[in-house]
Amino acid sequence: MKKYALVGTGGRAGLYISAIGGEWKENAQLVAFCDTNQTRMHYANTLLQNEGAAPVSTWKATQFEAMIHETRPDIVIVTTMDRTHDDYIVRALKAGCDVITEKPMTIDEKRALRILDAIEDTGHTVRVAFNYRYAPHHSKVRELLMNGTIGEVYSVHFEWLLNTEHGADYFRRWHREKRNSGGLLVHKSTHHFDLMNFWLNSYPERVYAEGGLRFYGKENAERRGMTEFYPRAHGYAAAKEDPFALHMADNPQLKALYLDAEHEDNYWRDQSVFSDGITIEDTLSVLVKYQNQCQLSYSLNTYLPWEGLNVVFNGSEGRLEMKIVEKSYVNAGGERANEGSLESCNITVFPMFAAPWEANFTLGEGGHGGGDNAMLADLFGTPGNDPLNRAADHRAGAMSILTGIAGNISLQQQRPVNFREFELVSRLKKQG
């Protein structure tokens, strides 16, 4: 049985707590929590006890190395704020542990190079938790393309829609500052750029991006005629009738995780999406050229009436279309099994000279059409042969974020960005 320590007991931590404390308790054992906030760690232990497991020791972030020394985990799970991922990953590797990290692996090239250096120096491993790879519908697309169902893929159009509940949520919390999250091209689109690398079995060579903050933020709201503002939802009358407000006091989990914990660190989880201080974009378009000469047009919008995606692949022998409508959710705001669950999903193949047909796949239990549980089984269960190669290491983590990093550079400098500009790419090539 392997031992795990978890650092960062916010919204994403619950996925791992319930898995290790519950279904995978015969294979895995949590031995410690680490965070900057003691109240959240107490709540993490409550979640663990709800699974029937015993509470574990809690350690402040300043005690990270002491925690590892005392509890001797084999693997550290990193679910902290994005900009701190590299710090805990590197420190865990140097302390003799392997690492599982939430996506994105980190937010810029400098931090990614730190992680690569630590992996090379220590020989320990980093897994990136890309649950989307394991979703049955995304796995089916991988299978169809691998089998040459539409021949060689020449172009892809990928449109991701975030609605006014889930999409707005990135503008309420720490993600709203690009210094924390790398912006949505890194934090959110990392999922999608990883899927593209996974589906095409290729990596980008050039990226061009356009985008801006068009809907959220105080200035945009003023332009549309809004006159009444508030800094956060809790305690402000102006927020009561605002459909964009998050009322944490009405949600037991959000209250326990954040409202009851903010006296320790003054972190507001419920900031107004129409306040100042937002430095990320809400409207984004990206063009990507891949090494296999495929071209991608990608868009992300965060204020739409429904949530999901449209993705189409155009190939030498036909066309593949997938449309997904997802149920909306707020991170850590409800039943975890509902996160990313599907209202509808259709994959249609249009052969060049034959009738179109629907691809068959079976959804699983849990979030993201069963993708969450399939990933957890791969992480904590007995490893088996996976012909789709869905497990993602640090190389996959690095290449997925580089598309978003290049997009951020393109936005700032208004030019195409070539992957050969990145030292990280040449370093990864040397690794093989």
Side-chain angles (χ1 to χ4, degrees):
M1 178 183 293
K2 289 189 175 180
K3 297 194 298 182
Y4 295 81
L6 186 145
V7 55
T9 55
R12 291 304 299 169
L15 178 72
Y16 303 97
I17 294 170
S18 61
I20 297 175
E23 183 173 0
W24 299 107
K25 62 185 176 184
E26 301 302 322
N27 295 50
Q29 178 189 8
L30 268 171
V31 296
F33 291 130
C34 182
D35 202 296
T36 57
N37 190 295
Q38 187 64 52
T39 302
R40 272 196 287 278
M41 288 192 283
H42 287 326
Y43 183 68
N45 262 324
T46 299
L47 296 178
L48 189 58
Q49 290 174 282
N50 288 345
E51 297 293 336
V56 299
S57 60
T58 61
W59 303 75
K60 284 297 188 75
T62 54
Q63 302 171 305
F64 183 73
E65 279 79 11
M67 174 196 72
I68 293 175
H69 178 75
E70 291 294 328
T71 63
R72 299 292 182 186
D74 302 293
I75 299 173
V76 173
I77 302 172
V78 178
T79 56
T80 59
M81 184 185 298
D82 295 351
R83 68 174 168 85
T84 66
H85 282 188
D86 68 302
D87 183 50
Y88 290 111
I89 291 170
V90 169
R91 290 163 68 186
L93 292 170
K94 290 183 176 180
C97 302
D98 292 327
V99 174
I100 296 170
T101 182
E102 261 299 321
K103 63 81 192 168
M105 186 175 76
T106 188
I107 63 171
D108 58 34
E109 187 190 20
K110 182 178 179 181
R111 288 175 167 90
L113 285 168
R114 285 193 69 222
I115 294 171
L116 185 57
D117 286 341
I119 291 170
E120 291 176 346
D121 290 344
T122 66
H124 286 285
T125 63
V126 174
R127 285 279 300 270
V128 183
F130 282 127
N131 51 357
Y132 276 29
R133 287 186 174 211
Y134 294 85
H137 40 295
H138 296 324
S139 294
K140 187 64 178 182
V141 170
R142 163 86 158 175
E143 176 189 326
L144 291 168
L145 296 180
M146 283 176 62
N147 292 338
T149 304
I150 60 168
E152 183 181 359
V153 180
Y154 296 145
S155 67
V156 182
H157 175 67
F158 192 147
E159 177 188 24
W160 191 274
L161 302 86
L162 288 167
N163 71 1
T164 51
E165 182 179 27
H166 186 202
D169 206 35
Y170 295 105
F171 298 83
R172 300 184 184 112
R173 47 195 173 130
W174 56 260
H175 307 70
R176 73 205 313 252
E177 294 184 58
K178 188 171 279 193
R179 71 182 186 90
N180 290 332
S181 65
L184 290 179
L185 281 183
V186 172
H187 175 81
K188 182 62 179 175
S189 300
T190 290
H191 265 318
H192 315 144
F193 297 143
D194 176 69
L195 281 176
M196 286 301 306
N197 297 343
F198 175 66
W199 284 333
L200 296 177
N201 195 30
S202 185
Y203 291 128
E205 64 177 26
R206 186 166 59 251
V207 174
Y208 179 75
E210 292 282 358
L213 185 66
R214 301 296 309 279
F215 181 79
Y216 298 109
K218 187 173 183 180
E219 187 176 344
N220 290 321
E222 287 175 330
R223 191 183 69 249
R224 293 192 299 270
M226 186 172 172
T227 57
E228 195 168 2
F229 296 92
Y230 57 90
R232 62 174 304 187
H234 185 69
Y236 284 84
K240 289 183 178 179
E241 304 302 322
D242 183 3
F244 287 94
L246 181 69
H247 300 289
M248 295 189 293
D250 298 335
N251 184 295
Q253 183 160 297
L254 290 175
K255 181 178 182 296
L257 267 176
Y258 301 109
L259 188 59
D260 293 346
E262 63 184 35
H263 68 278
E264 289 191 42
D265 53 20
N266 297 311
Y267 171 56
W268 290 357
R269 171 66 176 80
D270 61 344
Q271 295 177 81
S272 169
V273 300
F274 300 119
S275 59
D276 288 325
I278 298 171
T279 56
I280 64 172
E281 300 82 13
D282 58 21
T283 305
L284 290 153
S285 299
V286 185
L287 294 174
V288 185
K289 183 70 172 294
Y290 287 81
Q291 292 173 5
N292 66 359
Q293 301 306 299
C294 181
Q295 56 197 46
L296 164 70
S297 58
Y298 169 86
S299 66
L300 176 70
N301 296 279
T302 62
Y303 40 79
L304 298 180
W306 61 275
E307 177 139 338
L309 69 84
N310 293 305
V311 60
V312 300
F313 300 82
N314 301 305
S316 59
E317 298 178 22
R319 177 179 170 98
L320 186 155
E321 298 183 356
M322 178 167 63
K323 180 175 181 177
I324 297 171
V325 178
E326 290 192 352
K327 294 180 180 178
S328 184
Y329 68 95
V330 170
N331 182 264
E335 291 295 325
R336 189 162 300 282
N338 292 330
E339 291 194 4
S341 59
L342 307 185
E343 292 188 358
S344 64
C345 179
N346 300 98
I347 301 175
T348 308
V349 177
F350 297 85
M352 191 77 81
F353 299 109
W357 50 275
E358 295 292 320
N360 294 319
F361 55 92
T362 302
L363 296 177
E365 297 293 326
H368 298 96
D372 288 0
N373 286 340
M375 180 191 72
L376 293 169
D378 195 22
L379 289 173
F380 304 122
T382 302
N385 180 50
D386 181 4
L388 299 180
N389 295 315
R390 290 174 294 184
D393 63 7
H394 69 279
R395 297 174 185 84
M399 294 307 292
S400 68
I401 60 172
L402 273 181
T403 308
I405 292 167
N408 280 333
I409 295 171
S410 180
L411 287 171
Q412 184 180 26
Q413 300 182 5
Q414 298 184 325
R415 66 174 180 89
V417 176
N418 291 297
F419 265 44
R420 64 174 179 267
E421 299 177 33
F422 294 112
E423 179 186 348
L424 186 61
V425 172
S426 61
R427 291 278 300 279
L428 289 171
K429 283 181 179 178
K430 289 178 182 177
Q431 281 194 346

